[in-house]
Amino acid sequence: MDFNKAMSVVEFIAEQKESTGNGLSVAHIMARRGYIFPLESPLLHLATNAGWTVAHEMANVGFVFPEDHPALKLSNDLGQTVAAVMAEQGYMFTESNECIIFANVSGWTIAHTMAVNGYQFPEDSNVLKLANDSGWTVAHEMARGGHNFASDDILDLKDNHGVTVASLM
């Protein structure tokens, strides 16, 4: 059997989904167990009923997609992108990457996650003012992680409960 036929068989098997449940495919299980699908594979887009894709599974086990890969924008029903999963696993995007402003349904951004994981954005970065639905900013996360800000503009940022960045330092 030649390679192309073998790959066709693998792809056919991987596309199979459970008949009941949440629509998990064999490809999801393969990715969960460490199988790396080619970056151009349409199987990366296979999604469960909740929108969790094979690309999400790959990122969840530590696979790092290139920063310009279209799969990074794939989102589940809660707004969690593949890029967000990479950030949760510790990947730090470059500050110029549009992914850092991607937010889930509660407004939590990838920049928030990067700050939780210790990334230090510059004090003059607009990213510091990104806030989730509770008004909690990236600067709040950095301050909670031990960063000391000098700028009054940042120190005075408040969440919806009145917690300032300054109060966290």
Side-chain angles (χ1 to χ4, degrees), residues 5-74:
K5 284 184 182 177
M7 284 308 298
S8 293
V9 170
V10 169
E11 287 178 357
F12 173 77
I13 292 169
E15 289 175 344
Q16 303 310 302
K17 289 188 173 194
E18 60 186 357
S19 56
T20 59
N22 72 354
L24 197 66
S25 70
V26 172
H28 284 89
I29 303 301
M30 291 170 67
R32 190 175 293 167
R33 293 189 177 165
Y35 183 82
I36 305 298
F37 287 93
L39 292 176
E40 67 280 353
S41 175
L43 295 175
L44 296 176
H45 298 269
L46 275 179
T48 64
N49 298 344
W52 186 262
T53 67
V54 171
H56 281 90
E57 287 288 357
M58 286 174 55
N60 202 40
V61 295
F63 182 77
V64 175
F65 286 90
E67 285 201 10
D68 62 347
H69 197 278
L72 294 175
K73 296 179 181 179
L74 295 174

